[in-house]
Each structure stands twice: as C-alpha cells, then as structure tokens.
Amino acid sequence: MDEAELARKRAEFFEAQVNSALDGIMIVDVHGEKVFQNQRLVDLWNVPQEFADDPDDTRQLEFAISQTKDPEKFAERVAYLVANPGETTRDEVELIDGKILDRYSAPVLDKAGNLNGRIWTFRDVTEERKREAKLALALERETHLAREAEAGNRAKSEFLAVMSHEIRTPMNGILGFSEILAGLPGVPAEALDLTQTIRSSGEALLRILDDILDISRMEAGGLKIEKALFAPVEVLRSIHVLLGPGAAEKGLDFRLELAADLPREVWNDSGRLRQILLNLAGNALKFTESGSIVLGMERGAENAETLEIFLRDTGPGIPEADLGQIFQPFVQADSSISRRHGGTGLGLAISRNLVELMGGKLEVRSAVGRGSEFRVILPFGMPVAPLEPESKSFDEALDQTFAAHYPLRILLVEDDAVNRKLMVLVLRKLGYTPLIAQDGVEAVEIYQSERPDCILMDLQMPRKDGLQATVDIRDFETAESLDRAFISALTSNIVAEDRERCFAVGMDFYMNKPIKVPVLAQALASARVE
C-alpha cells in the first residue's frame, strides 16, 4: 500500500471514529474555516442540514451563536480564540432549548509544532447538571433540617435545664425542711413518719426528673462518661448499705457476694455505675415480694480482664416475649392499667445505654415465677491519670461543733427566699452565721467590703448571675493582690456543661440542689484547707 492509499485509509478511519463519537466535534483550519464536523455536533446544536452540509456556509456560526442563552458571551469566546490560536479553553454553554454543553477547544499542531487549525468538542452534560442540582437541593434541604433539628435539640436542652432548675429549687426546700423537721427534738412518731414519707416522695420525684433528663440527653447523643480510678467494691457496698433498710422492711434477704480475686481499682465512671446499679437494685427491691436479692461481683467468665456485676432476685420474673422490649424507653413488662408498681419505664433503657457508653454490655436472664438476673459486664480499663485523693470523711458530728473544727466566714448568695432560709438554717446548725446576698451584684459588693473566706454561690439570679459575679470577684482579688476565696456553685442545674462553666470562671466546688448536708460539709472542709 503506497503512502497516498495509507493516508486515505487513515483519513477514512479518523472520519469514522469522529462520526461515532458521543461528543459533538468540529475541526477548523488556521483561518477558522470549517474542515470537518460530525453528525453529533449537528444534532446537539440543532443545526439545519442546509448549513451543516456546506462547509463554506458561514451561516452555521451565526446560527450557533443565536442558539445560546448568552450570544454575546459566546461570540466573545469565539473571537478570543481566533485572536489567540494557541490557547486551550474549557467552559460550559447553555442553549436556548435547555441543553448544557461542556465545551473544550484546543489548537491542532503537527509534529513540528506548527499550528494547523483548532478542534472544538461539545459534550451534553444536561442530565449530569440536573442530578447535581437535585443533589445540591437535597443537601440544602438536609442541612436545613439538620439546623432545625439542632435548634430543636438546643431548645429542648434549654427547656430541660430550666425545668430542672424550676423543679429542683422548690424540691430543695421540701427535702431540706423535711430533713430539718425530722431532726428536731420531740417530734411525735406519727409526724416523723409523715415527714419521712414527704422526703421519700420528693426523692422519687427527683429520680423521675433525672430519668427524663437522661433519656433526653441519650436521644440527643449528649450522655457523657467521665472516667477516673475508683474502687468498684466500695460502690457495691454503698448500694447494699443504702437499700438494706428497705429490703429488711419487706422481709427480704439482701445479700452482697464479692469474689476474692477482684481488682482494687478500675478505670471507668463510678457515678454512672452507681446510677446503673441503683436502678437495677431498686427495680429488684420494688418487684420482689418475698425471698432474696443478691448483689454481687466477680471476674468475667470469658475474659478475666472484665468485671461481671450481677443482680439476682426471686421476683415475679419477666416473660420471654418481653425480654427484647424492656430496654426500650417507656416500655414496662406490666403496662396494664392495674399494674401494682409505678415508674416511667426509662431506667433500663438509660442503664443499657450507659453500660454501652462505658464499653460494656447489659444482659438479662429471667423466668416467670422464678426471678430475674441482670448482669453488667465491664472492662477494667486502663488508667490515664493518677488516682485522685479520696473525699475527706468526717469524724466530727455535723452539728454546732463543726464550725469550731472548720472556722469560716461564709457568704451565702441565693435569690430564692425559701432556699435562702433553708441554707441559713443548715449553716446555723453547723455553727455558722453567714453573710447574705440576694443576687450577684450584692455578692460582689459584700465580698469587697467583708472579704469572706467561703462563698456559696447560686447560678441563676437577677441583675448578675453567679458566673459573672465569680469573674468579678476573681478580678478584684487579682487587682488587690488578695488571697483567693473559696467559691462553690450552689445550683439547681445539673447539666454537665454548667459544671464545666463554673470551674472555667474560677469556682472551686460544685453542689447540686437539693443540698446534702455531708456534701456541704465536704465543701466547707475543703474551703478551710484552701
């Protein structure tokens, strides 16, 4: 085959290949005159066949420009490439019929690098852009919904924080005054019994409140685990001591069974473990009418680096059909209107979620008429921080003599009249005569004039809240080169972020209402050490 024949074959092959391409293709010479175009280009641009068949017909370019949504811009592109034949460009062209074309244009060079002309290609990307637009719209919608959900969660969290504060504030008065009343000399037995009933009912209400707050955090992914070294045996012993009287009152045998090879300390959240076990043991105590309850701990049967804490009772048991549902929120095995026991149906759902957050699992075995066994399986964990000092235990009585051992000038900052009265009574019972401020503004003024050693600071107050008052006091101490006063939060808020904010502004201690006298004593003893 001679060179002429070979050249002809190559041209035919090239033309066939271009004509079968999915892109519209046109080739022009150095003068911009059309050399070749495929049928796909004609179809994409809706070029009349009379223009397309005549390579010398200049009306095709004019027609093409008229088919674009922005004719001036397209004409400028063509003129630019005619003036700059060596340029390679790429952009998109939108036609009046709705098509969107990806345009690519590049110079055609020979082997020596000489310019022979220009190639134009057009690819239909209309459907791609439509899909991208739909995806962008869907993403925008999802983002909007996510923002709305976030705003909803934020509003719910704020509502729960306010609800917690508003309920705990009066409950602090109810529980505090009932405790003081029960401790008065000469209270008749019947009145003492009624007082204890008031207190136990109030504590039950607080437990329900805590459950609602926890389930809301769980739904929002806000439940947190705060790990530290602790002695798991002591957690079980404290629960056994706490619930022992209630078991004895029902005539139940409440036993504690501890294996001999248990670790002294593990790395996890002792507070959450206590919450889980109190819920499980409380359920066992509530549902078991006769027989025994066993709270125990042993090393894992399958993994010696795990703890297995079990709670076994001889209660009514749970039907097998209900075992898969009892860990769902608001679900109870007995949901009939005639059920004997109260409760929200939240405890087990919260407990399982907490166990999983702690890296473990919660299992249950039960048989109707024979009882139930719940088993918490937790890893030992690896410590990443030294063991914190144990809380100080008090040998002194929590009475008038306490202030003699821990002498302090105390400023109580509390806007609620009932809680203010309660705290004054409690502090006087411990032997103190506190200074009083009703809001943050008064707190700063009294501190600057009286310089108390210890400040018990409410958080939510009019005019100036406890956080800002603390900042002002710390600034005053720095400016005047004063010794640092001990400041403890005294609040009805139990949101973890509130606690972090308290320490961030310079507080030293944090107490939730209702205030327990031993916790208050611990704070005052810490203030004296400071």
Side-chain angles (χ1 to χ4, degrees), residues 24-38:
I25 300 173
M26 177 167 45
I27 301 172
V28 298
D29 61 20
V30 292
H31 305 295
E33 300 295 330
K34 181 171 63 176
V35 174
F36 177 82
Q37 69 184 21
N38 65 359

Side-chain angles (χ1 to χ4, degrees), residues 111-130:
K111 292 181 179 180
N114 298 313
L115 182 66
N116 282 342
R118 174 170 291 278
I119 184 170
W120 296 70
T121 65
F122 297 90
R123 174 171 298 178
D124 189 350
V125 293
T126 308
E127 293 305 316
E128 292 178 35
R129 297 300 175 262
K130 286 180 179 179

Side-chain angles (χ1 to χ4, degrees), residues 318-334:
I318 304 169
E320 184 175 355
D322 293 332
L323 288 178
Q325 303 179 31
I326 59 174
F327 294 108
Q328 298 300 317
F330 305 106
V331 170
Q332 295 173 318
D334 177 12

Side-chain angles (χ1 to χ4, degrees), residues 367-384:
V368 175
R370 297 176 59 186
S372 305
E373 178 181 289
F374 287 85
R375 191 164 284 258
V376 178
I377 304 172
L378 290 175
F380 288 178
M382 295 298 293
V384 296

Side-chain angles (χ1 to χ4, degrees), residues 94-142:
E94 190 171 358
L95 305 186
I96 57 177
D97 65 359
K99 284 198 287 286
I100 300 173
L101 305 179
D102 178 81
R103 181 191 68 84
Y104 175 78
S105 183
V108 177
L109 307 175
D110 62 16
K111 292 181 179 180
N114 298 313
L115 182 66
N116 282 342
R118 174 170 291 278
I119 184 170
W120 296 70
T121 65
F122 297 90
R123 174 171 298 178
D124 189 350
V125 293
T126 308
E127 293 305 316
E128 292 178 35
R129 297 300 175 262
K130 286 180 179 179
R131 285 195 297 271
E132 290 171 0
K134 288 180 180 179
L135 287 173
L137 184 61
L139 178 60
E140 182 180 355
R141 185 163 51 245
E142 289 296 322

